Amino acid sequence: MTDLPFHILGDDRPSRWLLTCDHATNRVPDCIGGGSLGIAPEDMERHIAYDIGAAGVTKRLAEKLNAPAVFSDFSRLVIDPNRGEDDPTLIMKLYDSTMIPVNRHVDAAETERRLATFHRPYHAALESLAARRDDTVICAIHSFTPRLFGRADRPWQVGVLYSHVDPKLALHLLDRLRAEPDLTVGENEPYGGHLDGDSIDRHALRPGRPNVLIEIRHDLIRAEDGQIAWADRLAPILEEALAASNL
């Protein structure tokens, strides 16, 4: 296990694609609560701690696209790398009805420590990879739970998230996914596609890089065979969407 708060696969791969997985793991480093956030082990296996299946999809998809990929190596409950430094949900104290005891009394000094130890090094690595070519295209892979506590079931198998600032690649991807007869595709579902300071905003929108964020319902990719199947399916679709966009 690396001491770094991220790991990179295929940094020498030549593709213009760059795959990111902000919520790759549920790992809690020893410097945070002795390696525990004070919640039950079964809660650490839920979506509140990481994006279930997303790392496996990202790894396989990066291989298929011959592209580099960067993965966080800490739970989003430690600090969320897909949030801006001033976002009130940067360190969650309550998530989908689960209290996070070790985070309850996090103060400004502890927030700064976690930013310096985890959040900023991850983003520095992501930016270094993104800057390796002038024509980098960022594809962020996430997963979502079929149902939040007390909410209705989510009908989509896959969602495409994008910002109004740059919807071009996402709209072509949406068209291509909607042509798949067995898919119910969410457009900016189950979440809105623009959040100031998040990873896409920081590394794609502000520097003007083409981008898309894909959300896959995690019951479909919890197991390795589902991760492989979705990555193999998405790789040619992404290539077709990029070609159609003329970006």
Side-chain angles (χ1 to χ4, degrees), residues 191-217:
Y191 313 105
H194 185 86
L195 185 63
D196 288 341
D198 70 2
S199 290
I200 289 292
D201 182 55
R202 181 170 178 171
H203 299 287
L205 298 178
R206 295 180 190 178
R209 296 180 178 119
N211 64 90
V212 69
L213 190 155
I214 298 173
E215 291 267 5
I216 307 169
R217 207 176 66 213

Side-chain angles (χ1 to χ4, degrees), residues 17-58:
W17 288 102
L18 168 60
L19 279 291
T20 69
C21 192
D22 292 333
H23 302 140
T25 180
N26 60 357
R27 186 174 84 92
V28 180
D30 289 342
C31 65
I32 305 294
S36 170
L37 291 164
I39 66 176
E42 54 268 29
D43 282 325
M44 287 302 299
E45 295 299 325
R46 295 174 56 216
H47 67 280
I48 64 172
Y50 71 124
D51 279 359
I52 296 164
V57 173
T58 303

Side-chain angles (χ1 to χ4, degrees), residues 17 168-177 212 234-247:
W17 288 102
K168 293 187 287 293
L169 179 56
L171 295 178
H172 284 282
L173 180 58
L174 278 165
D175 287 344
R176 182 59 186 82
L177 286 170
V212 69
L234 285 170
I237 291 174
L238 280 165
E239 294 280 45
E240 292 167 16
L242 181 59
S245 73
N246 293 313
L247 291 167

Side-chain angles (χ1 to χ4, degrees), residues 111-122:
T111 298
E112 177 61 28
R113 183 178 78 91
R114 296 191 194 185
L115 282 166
T117 305
F118 304 107
H119 193 279
R120 291 175 187 148
Y122 171 76

